[in-house]
């Protein structure tokens, strides 16, 4: 859909959304008037953006920021002045967001009176003490402002309009340039979003940002010092790893020996039916029996099911996993994620950590990402120019046990058919976006087994061989034209029939595409109705529009188009097209909303659950060891305090998650992430 990167567009853009004004930043000097330049590097050194920060003699800082990756990105101009305590006195930013939405935001402080206005919210308050405004749509310069203010306030700082920001030092490093050496420190910033944000800062009394690194993807670093980025990334990954190991130890509970889950109603994922109350026995990470347990059985522990629903763990069939995604996934009952594109080395490291039991995470089924070389390339996995390079990429993925490959937007159409055939000869599935200047029907004809994203399917009816769908057109065409598309017309009916006849799976990520019609100030439908469970800053960030929707008429049209996208998925499912539940957005919450959208599309709740369990395991080629509550399979199980076969909303009420021989209580996990729990922890009695 939006990117081969996690959740929204890129890890970069997601952070801007989830951690407004703080997660991603470049530095502005706090000293004499000067200009500072920073580079945004992807794919191990390719420049994808820059920021120029200029501080004038009068103390006004101006920022020009551009970041372009995979055919889109923000363009912003910002200016601000600071008060004596290091926080904003005045602030303004204008420009466009990643998907073209207008950005226009301002803040000012006059004594104890503060006021702000953005495209999403506005307010005014009396603030007698210190408070740092957190911009919703700002440039990355916010981290340097935050670092300077934190230094003046002992590492803890109230935020406006809500929250508290804290920093802690994880380590330091020596960096060199042209014979010069300086010390930089690695800091963890907490208090916004669900997880810490990591920054490299200068080590002086008034620190500023030196580098910001998203391992495996993005390196933001002061120009001239970029040769140090790889070493800083390695050190940061090690430091993050220690925190993640501690988190896994804190929240993961070993269920060694024998466990009886008593009085549970088992969801039969193969037949999409719910059984009567019974018992399930597991031992050392495997399902031993399904049926009334022997009363004389000496178990190490007993889980009091109390008539709750026991299901196989959910699958998210479209993730771009990071090491910090595990908490939100596990708490939502997601025990397996199919990764649909990542930095290969980073993903291999994650899989190793999961297998070693040091990382709290669902299991990962990888899809090998292959992109073509162009100015629009998404630069991860393998970026190829010809058939020989494509075959070498397929070989690498095959040798590393990947069950499928994923083709991306700039893949050269001249070698597409031969690449698909070569992957099939290796026993691998092939899925992906529809490469530019082709239609979905073309990739079906050339052997795709699956197509990602509802927009890639609908563009089949709106493009020709001259339409470059690597641009934002791949979103705006769908938002504008689907409203008038006749689903009963022969072209649409023939296309659905072809998908069904050839059993071409679709991975529509409908929940993610809610952004097509969301307006500024409206809460994202992904979290609408559960916003009170979320941290206040996340709620605020989720009220930002991503599309340019200038008037009510456009909004109505885009909403009608989105409603028809949901309808299309329902029609395809009823026609026999295999449906897969994936997200490509914030973990956990998005999958839950995706299933609700399938019910809206006409599936029963039980059918939606089947899509996210049995069907997913079959396509991911792991049905032999997960995807159903069956003797001999892994005990990847979730206990629901409700009945999601009747009310799909109950899928949020997870009271226990088992992943093999490790148990997690979502209430504990959510509390650690700043989320109000949805269900109490299951009652577990340990034998004495």
């Amino acid at each position: 859909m939006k990117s081969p990167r996690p959740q929204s567009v890129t890890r970069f853009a997601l952070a801007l959304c989830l951690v407004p004004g703080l997660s991603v930043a470049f530095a502005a000097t706090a000293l004499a008037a000067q200009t500072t330049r920073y580079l945004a590097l992807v794919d191990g050194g390719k420049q994808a953006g820059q920021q120029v920060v200029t501080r004038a003699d009068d103390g006004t800082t101006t920022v020009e920021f551009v970041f372009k990756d995979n055919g889109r990105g923000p363009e912003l101009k910002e200016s601000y002045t600071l008060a004596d305590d290091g926080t904003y006195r005045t602030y303004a930013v204008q420009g466009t967001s990643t998907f073209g939405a207008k950005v226009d935001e301002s803040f000012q402080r006059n004594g104890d009176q503060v006021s702000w206005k953005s495209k999403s919210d506005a307010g005014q308050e009396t603030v007698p003490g210190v408070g740092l405004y957190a911009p919703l749509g700002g440039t990355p310069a916010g981290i340097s402002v935050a670092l300077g203010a934190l230094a003046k306030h002992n590492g803890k700082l109230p935020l406006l309009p809500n929250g508290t920001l804290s920093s802690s030092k994880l380590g330091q490093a020596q960096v060199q340039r042209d014979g010069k050496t300086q010390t930089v420190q690695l800091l963890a910033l907490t208090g916004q979003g669900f997880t810490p944000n990591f920054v490299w800062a200068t080590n002086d009394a008034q620190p500023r940002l030196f580098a910001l690194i998203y391992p495996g993807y993005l390196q933001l670093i002061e120009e001239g010092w970029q040769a140090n980025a790889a070493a800083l990334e390695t050190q940061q990954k090690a430091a993050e790893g220690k925190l993640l190991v501690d988190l896994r130890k804190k929240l993961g509970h070993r269920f060694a020996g024998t466990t009886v889950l008593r009085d549970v109603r088992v969801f039969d994922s193969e037949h999409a039916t719910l059984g009567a109350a019974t018992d399930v026995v597991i031992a050392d990470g495997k399902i031993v029996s399904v049926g009334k347990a022997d009363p004389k059985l000496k178990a190490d522990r007993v889980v009091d099911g109390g008539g709750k629903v026991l299901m196989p763990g959910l699958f998210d069939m479209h993730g771009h996993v990071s090491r910090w995604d595990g908490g939100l996934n596990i708490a939502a009952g997601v025990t397996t994620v199919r990764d649909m594109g990542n930095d290969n080395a980073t993903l291999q490291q994650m899989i190793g950590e999961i297998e070693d039991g040091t990382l709290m995470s669902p299991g990962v089924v990888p899809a090998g990402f292959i992109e073509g070389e162009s100015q629009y390339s998404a630069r991860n996995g393998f970026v190829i120019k010809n058939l020989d390079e494509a075959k070498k990429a397929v070989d690498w993925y095959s040798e590393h046990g990947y069950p499928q490959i994923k083709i991306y937007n700039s893949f050269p159409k001249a070698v597409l058919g031969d690449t698909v055939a070569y992957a099939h000869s290796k026993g691998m599935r092939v899925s992906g976006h529809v490469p530019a200047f082709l239609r979905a029907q073309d990739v079906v004809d050339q052997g795709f087994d699956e197509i990602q994203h509802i927009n890639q399917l609908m563009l089949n009816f709106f493009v020709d061989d001259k339409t470059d769908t690597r641009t934002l057109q791949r979103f705006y065409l769908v938002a504008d034209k689907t409203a008038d598309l006749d689903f009963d017309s022969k072209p649409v009916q023939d296309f659905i029939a072809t998908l069904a006849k050839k059993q071409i799976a679709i991975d529509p990520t409908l929940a993610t595409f809610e952004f097509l019609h969301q307006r500024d100030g409206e809460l994202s439908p992904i979290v609408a109705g559960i916003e009170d469970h979320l941290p206040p800053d996340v709620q605020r960030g989720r009220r930002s529009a991503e599309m340019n929707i200038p008037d009510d008429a456009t909004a109505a049209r885009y909403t009608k188009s989105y409603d028809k996208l949901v309808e299309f998925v329902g029609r395809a499912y009823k026609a026999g097209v295999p449906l897969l539940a994936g997200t490509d957005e914030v973990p956990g919450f998005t999958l839950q909303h995706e299933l609700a959208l399938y019910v809206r599309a006409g599936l029963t709740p039980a059918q939606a659950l089947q899509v996210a369990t049995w069907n997913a395991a079959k396509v991911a080629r792991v049905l032999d060891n997960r995807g159903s509550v069956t003797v001999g399979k892994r005990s990847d199980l979730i206990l629901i305090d409700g009945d999601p076969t009747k009310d799909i909303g109950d899928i949020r009420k997870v009271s226990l998650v088992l992943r093999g021989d490790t148990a997690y209580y979502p209430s504990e996990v959510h509390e650690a992430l700043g989320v109000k729990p949805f269900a109490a922890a299951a009652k577990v009695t340990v034998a004495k």
Side-chain angles (χ1 to χ4, degrees), residues 63-271:
V63 186
E64 293 189 5
F65 172 58
V66 176
F67 180 80
K68 296 294 182 184
D69 181 48
N70 192 17
R72 63 288 169 104
E75 297 186 25
L76 301 169
K77 292 186 177 181
E78 183 180 64
S79 65
Y80 58 83
T81 61
L82 300 181
D84 291 340
D85 63 5
T87 65
Y88 293 113
R89 176 182 286 117
T90 63
Y91 173 86
V93 61
Q94 292 85 31
T96 55
S97 68
T98 298
F99 290 93
K102 293 185 182 300
V103 174
D104 188 1
E105 184 172 3
S106 61
F107 167 86
Q108 61 181 1
R109 178 162 191 158
N110 185 5
D112 292 344
Q113 301 303 308
V114 302
S115 61
W116 70 93
K117 185 177 181 181
S118 73
K119 300 288 285 185
S120 301
D121 67 347
Q124 54 185 10
E125 295 181 8
T126 299
V127 181
V130 65
L132 175 66
Y133 179 67
L136 272 177
T139 79
I143 278 189
S144 284
V145 176
L147 291 175
L150 282 165
K152 292 177 177 288
H153 299 279
N154 299 315
K156 194 169 186 178
L157 187 67
L159 294 173
L160 301 175
N162 48 55
T164 301
L165 185 68
S166 299
S167 67
S168 59
K169 183 175 179 179
L170 302 181
Q172 63 184 37
Q174 298 290 319
V175 292
Q176 296 181 338
R177 167 194 176 186
D178 301 329
K180 300 178 182 178
T181 300
Q182 68 170 310
T183 300
V184 293
Q185 56 182 328
L186 178 61
L187 302 176
L189 301 182
T190 55
Q192 286 222 298
F194 298 112
T195 58
N197 295 275
F198 302 93
V199 299
W200 288 95
T202 57
N203 201 30
D204 44 32
Q206 192 71 12
R208 60 171 176 78
L209 188 69
F210 177 77
L212 179 71
I213 296 173
Y214 288 90
Y217 173 50
L218 179 68
Q219 299 169 338
L220 306 172
I221 191 165
E222 188 176 338
E223 187 176 29
W225 297 89
Q226 55 266 36
N228 298 276
L232 293 178
E233 178 168 334
T234 298
Q235 184 172 336
Q236 180 177 322
K237 287 171 69 175
E240 290 188 38
K242 292 179 181 178
L243 295 178
L244 288 160
V245 168
D246 290 342
L247 190 64
R248 165 68 168 74
K249 289 179 179 178
K250 176 183 177 182
L251 299 174
H253 304 273
R254 178 82 188 282
F255 270 25
T258 301
T259 300
V260 178
L261 296 109
R262 199 173 296 283
D263 190 27
V264 294
R265 292 179 294 164
V266 175
F267 176 67
D268 179 348
S269 57
E270 181 179 5
H271 302 101

Side-chain angles (χ1 to χ4, degrees), residues 26 56 59 112 128 185 226 241 257 259 262 269 296-297 333 347 357 361 413 461 473 544 563 575-576 595 666:
F26 298 80
D112 292 344
Q185 56 182 328
Q226 55 266 36
T259 300
R262 199 173 296 283
S269 57
K296 298 180 181 179
L297 176 66
L347 186 60
S361 174
K413 62 181 182 180
F461 309 106
Q473 283 292 93
S544 296
D563 290 343
L595 298 182

Side-chain angles (χ1 to χ4, degrees), residues 372-532:
E373 183 65 66
S374 82
Q375 63 176 329
Y376 297 109
S377 297
R379 313 203 69 86
N380 64 301
F382 287 95
V383 182
I384 61 94
K385 300 183 183 69
N386 52 50
L387 181 60
D388 182 60
E389 292 180 356
K391 287 183 174 181
K392 289 179 180 178
V394 171
D395 288 341
W396 189 92
Y397 289 128
S398 177
E399 291 164 3
H400 285 79
Y402 287 54
Q404 75 176 70
I405 62 169
K406 177 186 176 184
I407 301 294
Y408 209 61
N409 296 333
S410 290
F411 194 92
K413 62 181 182 180
V415 303
L416 181 61
D418 288 337
T419 302
V420 173
Y422 187 71
H424 284 161
S425 75
K426 296 282 187 176
M428 304 174 75
R429 299 179 73 255
V430 178
S431 73
H433 289 206
V434 177
F437 312 113
L438 294 174
R439 296 163 56 241
Q441 183 66 56
D442 297 323
V443 300
V444 169
D445 293 342
Q446 296 202 48
F448 269 37
D449 302 293
E450 176 186 341
I451 297 174
Q452 264 69 55
H453 304 303
I454 189 64
N455 70 322
Q456 299 289 323
L457 292 162
M458 303 312 297
L459 285 168
N460 186 69
F461 309 106
F462 307 140
V463 303
D464 56 30
D465 59 3
K466 296 181 177 60
T467 309
D468 192 344
T469 52
R470 294 171 297 185
T471 69
L472 293 181
Q473 283 292 93
R474 67 183 183 270
F475 308 113
Y476 283 91
L477 279 173
V478 172
D480 183 58
K481 292 184 175 297
T482 307
D484 296 329
L485 184 62
D486 181 2
F487 285 171
D488 293 318
S489 65
K490 189 174 187 301
V492 177
Q493 288 296 306
D494 286 350
F495 181 59
I496 291 176
T498 298
L499 296 175
K501 180 180 180 181
K502 294 189 174 184
Q503 287 293 281
I504 310 300
I506 61 172
D507 165 27
T509 61
L510 279 175
T512 309
F513 276 87
E514 291 272 22
F515 84 97
L516 288 182
H517 66 98
Q518 182 192 355
R519 302 187 76 178
D520 281 321
E522 295 178 354
L523 190 66
S524 167
I526 292 173
V527 296
I530 61 166
E531 61 269 27
D532 290 345

Side-chain angles (χ1 to χ4, degrees), residues 7 311-319 328-338 362 507-512 525-527 530 580-599 608-609 611-613 616 638 648-649 651-652:
Q7 296 97 22
M311 291 182 50
L314 300 174
F315 282 65
D316 181 344
M317 292 295 278
H318 196 126
L328 289 177
N329 272 319
I330 290 293
V334 177
T335 58
T336 303
V337 175
R338 183 177 62 166
D507 165 27
T509 61
L510 279 175
T512 309
I526 292 173
V527 296
I530 61 166
L580 302 172
T583 57
D584 199 24
E585 238 275 14
V586 62
F589 297 116
T590 307
L591 183 66
Q592 294 164 340
H593 186 55
E594 184 80 7
L595 298 182
L597 287 169
Y598 293 169
V599 174
L609 297 174
V611 165
T613 52
I638 59 176
I648 196 63
I651 197 63
R652 300 188 187 279

